[in-house]
């Protein structure tokens, strides 16, 4: 990226020639007039010019080596982009005189040429591929599509409240995970954070911006400062970056397509550099200004080359360093390949040959060293870009000494030594391969095993002179008559061939002779039920003497020992060479430039759709953090490796950010100059941003306060409604009782104050309106307890009988609560007291609930029950408010109602799943899982088996995904529309529910679903299907853990206690437990 003013000026003058060079490089067209015509028609737009030339069927001739290096001549005005060949040296990636697509093309061209060695594709073909890739991305962005759904905030602000000093996330405002990944990586560079927060715009631009740069970059800089201030001091769990994103999206001219991380980072650093450059020029008039962005992110390297025997050296500046991934196993291999281009033997040889090439040597490394990993290539056959999923390893500490110019001589010596060792290693591996894959046919085996097999064959004892002569042709296919011809042990144990007389027990000898003269039927393993008992167990030599066997065994054993010894020697030599290569740069002199891994930007998906997140190291907590949009969680190096190395899933590292380990200021906190204390939170912010953050926090506090007031108001309204309903019920009850009895006791009960009648408003599972309804079994249990108490205490008073009956009923329910029962026999559904006991409800709650059971009006069918009922009702009325907290009582019964409701959701969902009605089952299973999780958070026995519910929720999603994919594969418009509707309206909405807790089986299920749809990217299909797939994949892959607006819970039917228990038992008996190997 150009920084100095003179370099910018030179590039501006050579702009026309640059475009011509680019067009010539991309299309291979050498006709200058045709190139100029294309530029004129396109008004300088490189993409349109390429399209113009390709429409004219311009040929792509293979460029010779002279042309390839023709602009590598030594010249002071050359400014070579990192990793590019010489004819792209004049491409400026940041100048305002080219649009964004040109810069993207230039970036792609930078990375293209090194791939020739691995792919065999010429540089011209590579360049055309990159342009086509950019063109496809541009066309994809311009396709008519539905607006991408945006994650909606939870209505409860407490769910969005920041916990202590936990890092703040960034909301995904529509395909902006790329923004979140990069911004979080930069924000956690505390030096960069300080530079942004303390930036003040030049004084002269407060009135009126002078040009487009100032008009665009300065507002973006201010929005970035505002965003950083919220990320430092906000009370919110995550903040909205919309304002900064919109400015960037305007520059990209594509608000709906996902942006490439490197493309965005180039743009971001470009704008920041310009903003700081304006400030630096104002602060240091007359002096050469220092740009802090340049000093932080930009370094220099020396290009040392030879062109047709002539040596040259150029010094160039670089920012993000591009590296090819394909064909390399680790980061050092990528770097080694990037630092050497072409044939370089002549660089350090005495004789000048005609070979040409160049080496790069770093003269100055930036404090923040960023590597772009090129994981995309253009598939010429399919005509679209594809992602490279190859595994690429990298370490948390990277020593850059071997790439420094000051170590050029020693590095060349070591490289030569490594080259020699690798040549020797190749020879040894070839020799070892001959031992391990021996043979001349298509199948090869280890030579030691071949010799062992030969020795085993020679040592085997023959059982007959022919492998078929001892098989009786008259035997049925099962071989049953073989037992009549000779005992089973004969064929297995007798070392000699069977004598002719051995068959005398089974019949005449003539039968055997005739059988030998006929064609003997061969055993057919796929048609006969079992092996004939007389078939030899293994092949064996027919004739071998003891002397021959002894000589042969001796030779084979000696040869096998020699082969094993040679194999061990070769493997040992190979291991030693590998170890020597690994330790080549391990001496202290080559470990003086340490760079520690700061951040890894990960991409999951395919070339034209995917999701980005970042792993960032926290040096204060000494752990890795995962920044995935609004979700910020602790992670580990193992998880980073799983997601970043690539090789076995769709996720892999796309960008690596290392920081100089000898410059701790990059990540050190700032200290207060007066107190010496570490600045944190609001104290880190300058006055203007402190005011901005406080204002936002005040708005959030107000939102929380309004929410709390609203909830209190709702609770009061519900309480008043309950009280009104209770009063109405009490009035009706008083009228009923006064007409049915003249006893003074009930009259006194009904004349009590309204507050004392509130307990009459009991849950539906406690109400007893008639003996045939929902709680008939509860009435029967109560009457049974009264009968038992009366039988044991015949002469007792009603009050004593009530006490005894309650004790008996409690003892029965306590036994149920203590039993270890299978899931299909859940006693909690049969009685609320069982639920209360298992969850350790207070004693007063249990007592009042049991009193309510015995105060049931439906017990009044005989005098004894009627008297006990009246006593129970009187005791309820005598309970004072301070004795039983009615709010707590209602809370426990509400918890039980929630348990019953969750049970009905679960039961209905499982029933529908068993009937393969997955669309309806999903919502029941989703809500049952969510409600059940809330219940279990308050106690182990408050809900159902979470693993079982999770299993069927997961299986339901996989079934729906399978159905939708099958509909899409049909290619029929109605089927495709229905399938994508299922995905968008059901599956995609539920995926965040599987991701939020990151259980292994849920993550694997999501990976399966994504892989199924990503697999279609490499298949031929109609353009309309391709467009729909392109629209859909970002929704499937861009899965934040924030829950979208969801469907309302399904309406639940009402069940009696008995019906619910029986139906739940049937469902659970049919379902059983979770399969051990289930997904």
């Amino acid at each position: 990226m150009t920084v100095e003013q003179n370099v910018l000026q030179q590039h501006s003058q050579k702009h026309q020639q640059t475009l011509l060079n680019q067009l010539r490089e991309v299309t291979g067209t050498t006709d200058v007039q045709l190139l100029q015509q294309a530029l004129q028609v396109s008004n300088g737009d490189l993409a349109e010019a390429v399209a113009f030339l390709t429409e004219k069927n311009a040929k792509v001739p293979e460029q010779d080596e002279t042309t390839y290096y023709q602009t590598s001549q030594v010249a002071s005005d050359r400014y070579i982009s990192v990793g590019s060949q010489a004819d792209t040296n004049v491409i400026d990636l940041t100048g305002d005189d080219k649009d964004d697509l040109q810069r993207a093309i230039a970036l792609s061209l930078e990375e293209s040429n090194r791939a020739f060695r691995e792919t065999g594709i010429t540089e011209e073909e590579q360049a055309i591929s990159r342009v086509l890739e950019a063109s496809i991305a541009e066309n994809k962005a311009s396709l008519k599509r539905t607006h991408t759904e945006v994650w909606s905030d939870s209505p409860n602000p407490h769910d969005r409240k920041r916990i202590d000093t936990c890092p703040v996330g960034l909301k995904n405002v529509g395909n902006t995970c790329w923004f979140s990944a990069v911004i979080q990586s930069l924000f956690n560079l505390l030096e960069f954070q300080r530079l942004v927060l303390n930036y003040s715009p030049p004084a002269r631009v407060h009135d009126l911006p002078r040009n487009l740069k100032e008009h665009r970059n300065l507002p973006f800089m201010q929005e970035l400062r505002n965003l950083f201030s919220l990320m430092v001091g906000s009370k919110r769990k995550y903040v909205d970056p919309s304002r900064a994103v919109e400015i960037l999206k305007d520059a990209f001219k594509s608000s709906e397509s996902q942006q490439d991380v490197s493309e965005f980072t180039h743009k971001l650093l470009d704008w920041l550099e310009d903003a700081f450059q304006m400030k630096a020029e104002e602060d240091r008039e007359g002096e050469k200004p220092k740009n802090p962005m340049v000093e932080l992110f930009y370094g220099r390297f020396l290009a040392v080359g030879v062109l047709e025997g002539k040596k040259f050296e150029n010094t160039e500046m670089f920012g993000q360093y591009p590296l090819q991934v394909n064909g390399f196993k680790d980061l050092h291999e990528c770097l080694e390949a990037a630092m050497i281009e072409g044939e370089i033997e002549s660089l350090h040889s005495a004789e000048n040959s005609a070979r040409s090439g160049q080496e790069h040597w770093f003269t100055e490394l930036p404090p923040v060293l960023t590597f772009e990993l090129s994981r995309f290539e253009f598939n010429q056959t399919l005509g679209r870009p594809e992602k490279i999923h190859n595994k690429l390893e990298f370490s948390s500490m990277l020593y850059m000494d071997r790439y420094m110019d000051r170590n050029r001589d020693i590095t060349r010596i070591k490289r030569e030594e490594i080259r020699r060792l690798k040549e020797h290693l190749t020879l040894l591996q070839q020799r070892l391969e001959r031992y391990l894959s021996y043979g001349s046919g298509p199948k090869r085996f280890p030579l030691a095993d071949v010799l062992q097999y030969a020795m085993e064959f020679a040592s085997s004892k023959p059982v007959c002179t022919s492998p078929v002569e001892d098989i009786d042709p008259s035997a049925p296919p099962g071989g049953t008559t073989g037992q009549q011809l000779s005992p089973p042990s004969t064929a297995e144990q007798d070392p000699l061939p069977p004598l002719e007389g051995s068959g005398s027990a089974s019949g005449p000898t003539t039968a055997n002779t005739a059988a030998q003269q006929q064609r003997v039927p061969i055993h057919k393993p796929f048609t006969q039920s079992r092996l004939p008992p007389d078939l030899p167990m293994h092949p064996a030599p027919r004739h071998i003497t003891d002397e021959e066997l002894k000589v042969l065994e001796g030779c084979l054993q000696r040869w096998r020992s020699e082969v094993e010894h040679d194999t061990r020697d070769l493997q040992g030599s190979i291991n030693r060479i590998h170890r020597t290569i690994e330790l080549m740069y391990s001496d202290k002199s080559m470990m003086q430039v340490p760079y520690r891994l700061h951040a890894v930007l990960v991409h999951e998906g395919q070339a034209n759709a995917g999701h980005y997140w970042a792993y960032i190291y926290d040096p204060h907590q000494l752990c890795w953090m995962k920044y995935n949009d609004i979700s910020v969680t602790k992670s580990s190096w193992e998880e980073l490796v799983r997601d970043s190395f690539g090789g076995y899933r769709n996720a892999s590292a796309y960008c690596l950010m290392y920081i100089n380990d000898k410059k701790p200021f990059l990540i050190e906190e700032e200290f207060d100059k007066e107190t010496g204390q570490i600045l944190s939170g609001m104290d880190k912010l300058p006055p203007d941003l402190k005011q901005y953050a406080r204002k936002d926090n005040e708005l959030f506090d107000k939102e929380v306060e309004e929410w709390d007031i609203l909830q209190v108001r709702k609770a009061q309204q519900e309480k008043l409604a309950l009280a009104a309903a209770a009063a109405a019920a009490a009035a009706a009850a008083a009228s009923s009782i006064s007409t049915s009895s003249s006893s003074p006791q009930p009259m006194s009960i009904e004349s009590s104050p309204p507050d004392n009648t509130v307990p009459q408003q009991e849950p539906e599972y406690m109400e007893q309106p008639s003996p045939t309804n929902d709680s008939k079994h509860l009435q029967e249990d109560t009457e049974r307890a009264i009968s038992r108490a009366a039988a044991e205490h015949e002469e007792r008073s009603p009050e004593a009988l009530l006490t005894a009956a309650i004790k008996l009923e409690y003892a029965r329910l306590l036994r149920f609560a203590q039993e270890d029962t299978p899931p299909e026999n859940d006693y909690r559904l049969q009685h609320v007291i069982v639920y209360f006991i298992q969850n350790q409800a207070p004693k007063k709650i249990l007592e009042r609930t049991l009193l309510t059971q015995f105060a049931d009006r439906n017990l009044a069918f005989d005098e004894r029950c009627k008297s006990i009922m009246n006593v129970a009702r009187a005791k309820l009325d005598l309970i004072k408010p301070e004795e039983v907290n009615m709010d707590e009582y209602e809370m426990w019964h509400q918890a039980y109602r929630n348990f019953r409701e969750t049970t009905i959701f679960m039961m209905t969902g499982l029933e529908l799943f068993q009937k393969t009605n997955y669309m309806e089952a999903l919502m029941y299973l989703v809500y049952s899982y969510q409600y059940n999780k809330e219940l279990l958070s308050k106690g182990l026995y408050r809900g159902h088996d979470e693993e079982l519910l999770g299993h069927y929720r997961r299986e339901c999603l996989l079934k729906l995904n399978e159905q939708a994919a099958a509909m899409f594969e049909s290619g029929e418009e109605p089927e495709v529309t229905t399938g994508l509707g299922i995905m968008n309206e059901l599956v995609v909405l539920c995926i965040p529910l599987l991701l939020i807790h990151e259980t292994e089986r849920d993550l694997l299920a999501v990976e399966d679903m994504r892989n199924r749809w990503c697999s279609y990217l490499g298949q031929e299909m109609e353009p309309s299907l391709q467009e729909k797939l392109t629209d859909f994949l970002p929704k499937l892959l861009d899965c934040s853990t924030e829950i979208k607006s969801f469907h309302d819970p399904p309406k639940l039917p009402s069940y009696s206690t008995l019906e619910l228990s029986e139906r739940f038992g049937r469902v659970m008996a049919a379902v059983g437990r979770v399969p051990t190997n289930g997904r």
Side-chain angles (χ1 to χ4, degrees):
M1 187 175 291
T2 308
V3 182
E4 290 83 354
Q5 191 67 28
N6 62 336
V7 179
L8 279 170
Q9 219 169 19
Q10 293 164 8
H11 280 297
S12 177
Q13 294 169 356
K14 299 183 180 183
H15 175 53
Q16 184 69 17
Q17 185 60 40
T18 298
L19 293 180
L20 289 174
N21 287 342
Q22 286 180 268
L23 277 179
R24 183 184 296 110
E25 172 69 21
V26 170
T27 64
T29 303
T30 57
D31 189 336
V32 178
Q33 292 182 348
L34 185 59
L35 293 172
Q36 291 175 342
Q37 181 187 358
L39 286 176
Q40 290 174 358
V41 170
S42 63
N43 292 323
D45 188 305
L46 189 59
E48 292 184 12
V50 171
F52 174 82
L53 291 173
T54 53
E55 285 173 4
K56 285 183 171 290
N57 295 321
K59 294 182 179 179
V60 188
E62 187 172 347
Q63 196 175 26
D64 60 20
E65 192 176 34
T66 304
T67 307
Y68 188 69
Y69 288 97
Q70 63 184 354
T71 55
S72 291
Q73 302 292 350
V74 180
S76 60
D77 61 347
R78 292 297 190 204
Y79 186 82
I80 304 178
S81 298
V82 178
S84 66
Q85 291 294 355
D87 51 7
T88 60
N89 289 348
V90 295
I91 296 178
D92 175 16
L93 303 181
T94 64
D96 290 329
D97 53 354
K98 289 187 288 294
D99 63 15
D100 303 321
L101 182 56
Q102 294 173 31
R103 299 176 202 176
I105 294 171
L107 289 172
S108 297
L109 288 173
E110 286 179 349
E111 301 167 355
S112 63
N113 294 314
R114 290 190 206 89
F116 176 71
R117 181 172 58 259
E118 293 82 22
T119 63
I121 301 174
T122 65
E123 58 177 55
E124 294 86 4
E125 293 170 332
Q126 292 270 321
I128 291 173
S129 297
R130 302 302 180 187
V131 174
L132 288 173
E133 181 177 350
S135 177
I136 287 173
E138 191 72 19
N139 291 336
K140 177 172 71 81
S142 63
L143 290 175
K144 183 179 180 181
R145 60 178 64 191
T146 57
H147 192 277
T148 306
E149 295 181 60
V150 180
W151 302 109
S152 59
D153 294 325
S154 168
N156 186 349
H158 290 283
D159 296 338
R160 296 179 272 117
K161 198 169 185 177
R162 184 179 182 183
I163 302 173
D164 299 327
T165 57
C166 184
V168 175
L170 291 176
K171 183 178 179 180
N172 189 335
V173 292
N175 284 339
T176 57
C177 48
W178 47 273
F179 181 88
S180 174
V182 176
I183 288 297
Q184 292 283 17
S185 301
L186 294 174
F187 174 81
N188 282 278
L189 283 171
L190 298 187
E191 178 64 14
F192 179 85
Q193 182 189 121
R194 285 189 287 269
L195 287 171
V196 172
L197 290 174
N198 295 308
Y199 176 83
S200 58
R204 57 178 170 75
V205 300
H206 285 299
D207 299 328
L208 184 66
R210 297 182 304 177
N211 53 40
L212 176 62
K213 274 189 179 181
E214 294 181 359
H215 184 74
R216 177 194 63 194
N217 296 358
L218 293 177
F220 173 76
M221 192 68 195
Q222 185 57 44
E223 291 302 336
L224 188 63
R225 293 182 71 238
N226 293 341
L227 181 62
F228 273 28
S229 70
L230 296 181
M231 293 169 72
V232 168
S234 179
K235 292 183 179 180
R236 302 176 191 267
K237 180 181 177 182
Y238 57 90
V239 294
D240 190 335
S242 296
R243 292 182 178 178
V245 169
E246 287 305 318
I247 298 176
L248 274 172
K249 281 187 172 183
D250 289 341
F252 278 109
K253 301 183 182 69
S254 175
S255 61
E256 289 303 315
S257 63
Q258 283 195 328
Q259 301 304 328
D260 180 88
V261 166
S262 62
E263 191 179 351
F264 161 66
T265 311
H266 277 289
K267 178 82 65 181
L268 174 66
L269 295 181
D270 187 11
W271 289 11
L272 292 174
E273 180 188 335
D274 288 341
F276 277 95
Q277 186 68 21
M278 286 185 282
K279 180 64 176 172
E281 289 173 356
E282 181 184 69
D283 294 343
R284 295 195 177 191
E285 292 186 3
E287 299 180 19
K288 186 177 180 180
K290 287 188 177 180
N291 191 318
M293 289 295 107
V294 174
E295 294 183 347
L296 198 59
F297 294 103
Y298 295 88
R300 294 180 182 276
F301 68 85
L302 183 67
V304 182
V306 172
L307 176 64
E308 297 178 354
K310 296 180 181 179
K311 295 184 179 181
F312 67 89
E313 288 190 5
N314 288 330
T315 299
E316 291 117 34
M317 183 173 283
F318 70 94
Q320 300 175 85
Y321 204 91
L323 297 175
Q324 287 290 332
V325 169
N326 212 5
F328 306 109
K329 70 176 184 178
D330 59 41
L331 187 60
H332 275 300
E333 284 193 3
C334 295
L335 273 167
E336 289 282 355
M339 302 300 281
I340 303 173
E341 298 177 3
E343 300 288 344
I344 61 165
E345 286 85 350
S346 58
L347 292 176
H348 26 88
S349 62
E351 300 179 359
N352 286 333
S353 67
R355 293 177 177 177
S356 298
Q358 60 177 309
E359 293 176 328
H360 291 173
W361 298 97
F362 293 119
T363 56
E364 181 184 346
L365 286 173
V368 181
L369 181 58
T370 306
F371 296 113
E372 297 174 9
L373 304 182
S374 179
R375 282 196 171 270
F376 297 101
E377 63 182 2
F378 194 82
N379 189 315
Q380 297 280 3
T381 304
L382 298 176
R384 57 173 167 263
E386 289 185 339
K387 185 174 178 182
I388 300 170
H389 294 293
N390 297 355
K391 183 178 181 180
L392 183 78
E393 298 178 358
F394 51 85
S395 60
S396 58
M397 188 66 73
L398 180 68
Y399 293 96
M400 295 295 293
D401 303 75
R402 70 184 80 174
Y403 311 109
M404 302 302 295
D405 183 53
R406 62 174 177 265
N407 296 323
R408 188 194 307 185
D409 294 336
I410 188 171
T411 299
R412 282 176 173 171
I413 293 171
K414 289 181 179 291
R415 283 178 179 170
E416 179 61 27
E417 178 65 15
I418 290 174
R419 185 189 64 79
R420 186 187 63 79
L421 287 172
K422 285 186 175 179
E423 288 178 355
H424 186 47
L425 181 65
T426 301
L427 292 175
L428 292 177
Q429 288 173 333
Q430 290 173 350
R431 290 181 183 176
L432 179 62
E433 185 65 18
R434 296 191 187 106
Y435 281 93
L436 298 179
S437 299
Y438 186 80
S440 57
K443 291 187 178 180
R444 308 294 180 91
F445 303 94
L447 180 55
D449 291 347
V450 171
L451 295 172
Q452 176 66 26
Y453 301 153
M455 188 160 55
E456 291 174 0
F457 174 77
S459 305
S460 300
K461 300 296 183 180
V463 295
C464 58
T465 57
S466 169
V468 296
E469 69 179 10
D470 62 336
I471 299 177
D472 183 6
S474 62
T480 55
T481 59
Q483 295 177 0
Q484 298 173 355
L485 290 169
S486 61
S489 59
T490 303
E492 297 177 7
Q493 299 174 2
D494 190 357
L496 299 176
L499 300 175
E500 290 183 357
S502 64
S504 58
S506 62
T509 306
T510 55
N512 287 338
T513 305
Q516 292 173 3
Q517 294 174 352
Q518 296 176 357
R519 182 176 177 84
V520 179
I522 304 298
H523 170 66
K524 299 177 181 178
F526 295 106
T527 56
Q528 291 182 211
S529 60
R530 64 176 184 268
L531 288 171
D534 297 331
L535 189 68
M537 294 301 293
H538 49 73
R542 296 184 188 180
H543 304 288
I544 185 170
T545 64
D546 292 340
E547 292 76 8
E548 289 173 336
L549 180 60
K550 185 176 181 181
V551 172
L552 186 57
E553 283 184 339
C555 292
L556 289 172
Q557 288 176 349
R558 184 175 72 253
W559 294 339
R560 186 170 184 269
S561 298
E562 291 172 356
V563 167
E564 289 177 342
H565 181 268
D566 291 346
T567 302
R568 284 195 300 271
D569 284 350
L570 286 169
Q571 289 174 333
S573 299
I574 289 171
N575 292 335
R576 284 192 295 274
I577 291 176
H578 276 302
R579 185 64 176 162
T580 302
I581 293 174
E582 289 174 4
L583 298 176
M584 188 64 69
Y585 295 99
S586 61
D587 52 292
K588 289 186 178 180
S589 63
M590 300 299 285
M591 300 176 69
Q592 301 302 309
V593 189
Y595 273 76
R596 185 176 56 76
L597 187 61
H598 163 69
V600 179
L601 275 61
V602 179
H603 175 269
E604 180 178 27
Q606 297 296 330
N608 54 0
H611 179 58
Y612 292 104
W613 67 90
Y615 289 101
I616 303 172
Y617 187 72
D618 187 332
H620 307 292
Q621 298 190 58
L622 301 178
C623 69
W624 285 94
M625 303 292 291
K626 182 178 181 180
Y627 290 78
N628 190 355
D629 291 334
I630 68 168
S631 172
V632 182
T633 56
K634 280 189 176 182
S635 184
S636 63
W637 175 254
E638 290 71 27
E639 183 183 4
L640 184 152
V641 167
R642 184 194 70 193
D643 287 348
S644 305
F645 280 11
Y648 64 97
R649 54 180 302 196
N650 285 333
S652 54
Y654 193 83
C655 184
L656 306 177
M657 191 178 289
Y658 283 86
I659 58 175
N660 192 322
D661 203 42
K662 290 187 175 181
K663 296 184 177 180
F665 71 91
L666 293 169
I667 53 174
E668 277 184 347
E669 295 283 1
E670 192 175 2
F671 290 85
D672 187 284
K673 294 179 181 179
E674 296 180 358
T675 64
Q677 299 294 321
I678 294 178
L679 295 177
S680 60
M682 289 289 193
D683 295 334
K684 298 171 70 172
L685 303 178
D688 62 323
L689 294 182
K690 190 176 295 185
Q691 183 180 359
Y692 180 85
R694 280 176 178 165
K695 185 177 179 180
D696 184 77
N697 286 339
E698 289 171 2
L699 291 174
F700 185 67
D701 288 339
K702 185 177 180 182
E703 184 183 355
V704 173
E705 184 181 353
E706 290 175 350
W707 170 267
D708 291 341
I709 292 173
L710 179 63
Q711 299 312 303
V712 170
R713 188 179 299 127
K714 285 183 178 179
Q716 290 174 345
Q717 291 173 351
E718 290 175 1
K719 194 170 183 179
L720 290 173
L722 285 174
S735 174
S736 169
I737 292 179
S738 63
T739 57
S740 63
S741 173
S742 58
S743 173
Q745 202 171 28
M747 291 297 294
S748 64
I749 292 172
E750 299 306 329
S751 62
S752 58
D755 285 346
N756 292 336
T757 65
V758 173
Q760 304 302 323
Q761 178 65 19
E762 295 297 339
E764 67 276 5
Y765 47 84
M766 296 297 295
E767 292 175 352
Q768 318 290 326
S770 73
T772 59
N773 78 338
D774 179 18
S775 30
K776 180 180 178 180
H777 79 286
L778 191 62
Q779 176 195 339
E780 292 173 351
D781 292 340
T782 307
E783 292 175 349
R784 193 179 301 114
I786 292 174
S787 298
R788 287 185 57 194
E792 295 175 7
H793 310 281
E794 293 183 2
E795 303 300 327
R796 301 284 289 272
S797 66
E799 185 172 354
L801 284 176
L802 172 64
T803 303
I806 287 178
K807 287 182 179 179
L808 288 171
E809 178 69 355
Y810 179 77
R812 181 180 73 89
L813 297 174
L814 180 63
R815 286 197 303 273
F816 286 165
Q818 293 173 342
E819 277 188 34
D820 185 13
T821 58
E824 58 266 24
N825 190 19
D826 195 335
Y827 286 124
R828 293 175 299 174
L829 294 172
Q830 298 181 20
H831 205 292
V832 64
I833 291 294
V834 177
Y835 181 86
F836 285 172
I837 293 173
Q838 290 188 354
N839 291 287
Q840 300 177 346
K843 182 180 178 183
K844 293 290 185 182
I845 304 297
L846 297 175
E847 290 175 352
R848 182 178 181 88
T849 303
L850 282 169
L851 271 177
T852 302
Q853 177 179 332
F854 281 87
D856 178 14
R857 298 186 188 91
N858 294 314
L859 296 177
F861 289 106
D862 60 55
E863 289 300 321
R864 182 176 59 194
C865 289
K866 179 179 176 180
S867 61
I868 288 177
M869 179 269 292
N870 288 331
V871 171
R873 292 177 63 80
K875 284 183 175 289
L876 281 175
D877 290 339
L878 293 173
I879 295 176
K880 298 178 182 179
E882 60 268 19
E883 293 178 355
V884 177
N885 186 327
M886 290 307 298
D887 289 338
E888 185 181 17
Y889 178 82
E890 174 59 28
M891 180 193 72
W892 276 97
H893 281 275
Q894 182 60 49
Y896 185 66
R897 284 194 290 270
N898 293 342
F899 170 72
R900 279 173 55 96
E901 186 176 291
T902 302
T903 302
I904 296 173
F905 273 116
M906 174 182 177
M907 178 183 70
T908 308
L910 292 176
E911 285 178 336
L912 291 168
F913 184 90
Q914 289 175 318
K915 296 175 182 176
T916 68
N917 190 348
Y918 304 121
M919 291 181 65
E920 289 188 33
L922 180 63
M923 283 301 101
Y924 286 98
L925 292 172
V926 163
Y927 274 101
S928 65
Y929 184 90
Q930 295 302 112
Y931 292 158
N932 190 67
K933 194 167 191 68
E934 292 177 15
L935 293 175
L936 292 178
S937 66
K938 299 175 182 177
L940 180 62
Y941 299 103
R942 292 205 176 209
H944 296 286
D945 184 355
E946 185 177 19
E947 188 176 352
L948 182 138
L949 270 172
H951 169 78
Y952 281 97
R953 180 185 67 164
R954 190 167 53 244
E955 285 298 312
C956 196
L957 282 168
L958 289 169
K959 296 286 188 184
L960 285 173
N961 186 73
E962 196 69 23
Q963 287 182 358
M967 292 177 180
F968 182 82
E969 290 173 3
S970 71
E972 300 295 331
E973 183 64 27
E975 291 284 301
V976 171
T977 303
T978 303
L980 291 177
I982 291 173
M983 295 302 296
N984 285 319
E985 296 171 15
L986 294 174
V987 179
V988 170
L989 290 177
C990 294
I991 283 181
L993 299 174
L994 272 61
L995 295 176
I996 194 167
H997 299 294
E998 296 189 345
T999 62
E1000 183 180 359
R1001 289 182 177 180
D1002 284 349
L1003 292 176
L1004 287 174
V1006 173
E1007 186 72 13
D1008 286 347
M1009 289 186 278
R1010 289 176 174 174
N1011 286 341
R1012 177 65 182 269
W1013 289 91
C1014 286
S1015 67
Y1016 298 137
L1017 289 171
Q1019 300 179 18
E1020 293 295 333
M1021 64 180 69
E1022 294 294 328
S1024 60
L1025 287 182
Q1026 181 67 48
E1027 180 180 345
K1028 289 181 179 180
L1029 182 64
T1030 305
D1031 286 338
F1032 164 68
L1033 276 179
K1035 301 173 188 177
L1036 179 66
L1037 296 173
D1038 189 8
C1039 290
S1040 171
T1041 53
E1042 185 177 3
I1043 310 303
K1044 289 185 181 181
S1045 54
F1046 218 64
H1047 298 277
D1048 292 332
K1051 299 296 182 182
L1052 295 180
S1054 59
Y1055 293 98
S1056 69
T1057 300
L1058 184 61
E1059 184 181 4
L1060 178 60
S1061 300
E1062 291 179 350
R1063 191 164 180 176
F1064 180 79
R1066 288 196 300 270
V1067 171
M1068 294 304 295
V1071 167
R1073 298 189 178 274
V1074 181
T1076 56
N1077 60 344
R1079 288 287 297 273

